[in-house]
C-alpha cells in the first residue's frame, strides 16, 4: 500500500511538473494582448440610421450589459442573435456609430465566399465574462484602446475554423479558443473568423 501511494504521489508530481512546463512554455505575443471573453446577447435591435447594423446588448459578466454594433444584418436575423452565447473581443477602442456607442466586436465565422456568416460560440454552460485562452500564449490583455487595436490588426487575421468547426488561432503557435468547458466552435467549417 505504501509503495502504491508513493507511485501515485510520484505520478501526480510528474503531471504537475508537465503542467508547469506547459505554462512556462507560453510566450507573450500580440494575441496575448487581446481580451476575448464569452458573452450572452440579451437584447438586439436595428441601428436607427445605419443599414446592416445590429445593436446588441451583451452580458459579459460586468455590471451592465455592453453595447456592441455589428454589421450582421443580411447574414443573421435578430432571432439568430437573441439569447445566444457568443465570443467578444472586449478591449478594442470604443467607437461611436452615428450616436450609438460600440464597445467591442462579436466574432463570427464566414465561408470563403462570405455569403454565410455564423456566430463563434463557446460550449454550453460557460459563464458570461470568462476569458478565452490560447495554449502557448500568455494572457495579458492590453487596456482598451490603440494598443489593443494594433494587436487585433496583427493577430486578428489569423483566426479561422478548422475542418471540424473548431475556432482556432492559426498563427504561431497555433491554438484553439479554449474555455473551462472546452473549445469554441462555429457551424461554418474551414472558414475565416472576424
Amino acid at each position: 500500500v505504501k509503495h502504491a501511494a508513493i507511485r501515485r504521489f510520484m505520478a501526480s508530481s510528474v503531471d504537475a511538473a508537465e503542467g508547469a512546463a506547459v505554462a512556462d512554455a507560453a510566450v507573450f505575443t500580440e494575441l496575448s494582448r487581446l481580451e476575448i471573453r464569452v458573452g450572452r446577447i440579451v437584447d438586439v435591435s436595428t441601428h436607427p440610421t445605419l443599414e446592416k447594423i445590429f445593436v446588441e446588448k451583451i452580458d459579459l459578466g460586468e455590471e451592465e450589459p455592453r453595447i456592441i454594433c455589428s454589421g450582421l444584418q443580411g447574414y443573421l436575423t435578430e432571432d439568430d442573435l437573441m439569447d445566444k452565447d457568443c465570443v467578444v473581443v472586449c478591449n478594442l477602442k470604443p467607437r461611436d456609430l452615428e450616436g450609438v456607442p460600440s464597445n467591442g466586436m462579436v466574432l463570427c465565422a464566414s465561408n470563403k465566399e462570405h455569403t454565410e456568416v455564423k456566430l463563434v460560440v463557446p460550449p454550453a454552460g460557460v459563464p458570461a465574462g470568462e476569458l478565452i485562452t490560447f495554449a502557448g500564449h500568455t494572457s495579458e490583455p492590453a487596456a482598451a484602446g490603440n494598443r489593443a487595436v494594433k494587436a487585433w490588426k496583427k493577430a486578428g487575421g489569423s483566426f479561422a475554423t478548422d475542418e471540424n468547426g473548431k475556432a482556432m488561432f492559426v498563427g504561431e503557435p497555433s491554438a484553439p479558443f479554449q474555455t473551462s468547458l472546452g473549445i469554441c466552435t462555429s457551424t461554418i467549417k474551414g472558414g475565416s473568423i472576424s
Side-chain angles (χ1 to χ4, degrees), residues 32-45:
S32 302
R33 298 181 196 272
L34 295 179
E35 181 183 357
I36 303 176
R37 295 190 180 273
V38 170
R40 183 162 185 86
I41 301 169
V42 295
D43 187 62
V44 185
S45 60

Side-chain angles (χ1 to χ4, degrees), residues 1 12 17 19 35-36 49 52 59 86 88 107 110 124 137 151 155 161 178 182:
V1 174
S12 68
E35 181 183 357
I36 303 176
T49 59
K52 300 183 180 178
D59 178 6
C86 60
V88 177
L107 292 180
S110 64
H137 301 264
T161 54
Q178 187 68 50

Side-chain angles (χ1 to χ4, degrees), residues 141-157:
N146 290 333
R147 189 61 196 86
V149 170
K150 286 180 184 175
W152 170 254
K153 286 179 179 175
K154 290 181 179 180

Side-chain angles (χ1 to χ4, degrees), residues 54-160:
F54 280 126
V55 179
E56 303 109 9
K57 289 184 180 176
I58 302 179
D59 178 6
L60 287 160
E62 300 167 322
E63 282 188 26
E64 298 278 332
R66 191 183 286 218
I67 296 172
I68 295 179
C69 296
S70 303
L72 296 173
Q73 286 193 50
Y75 298 107
L76 298 171
T77 67
E78 291 182 39
D79 287 342
D80 291 331
L81 299 171
M82 188 64 192
D83 294 324
K84 298 297 190 297
D85 291 333
C86 60
V87 172
V88 177
V89 183
C90 294
N91 61 339
L92 299 178
K93 189 175 182 179
R95 296 184 306 152
D96 183 285
L97 275 74
E98 295 192 9
V100 179
S102 185
N103 295 288
M105 179 190 304
V106 176
L107 292 180
C108 291
S110 64
N111 62 358
K112 288 183 178 74
E113 299 77 26
H114 203 70
T115 54
E116 191 178 359
V117 176
K118 300 291 182 185
L119 290 173
V120 173
V121 297
V126 177
E130 182 174 308
L131 185 67
I132 291 169
T133 58
F134 298 85
H137 301 264
T138 61
S139 193
E140 302 174 45
N146 290 333
R147 189 61 196 86
V149 170
K150 286 180 184 175
W152 170 254
K153 286 179 179 175
K154 290 181 179 180
S158 297
F159 292 143

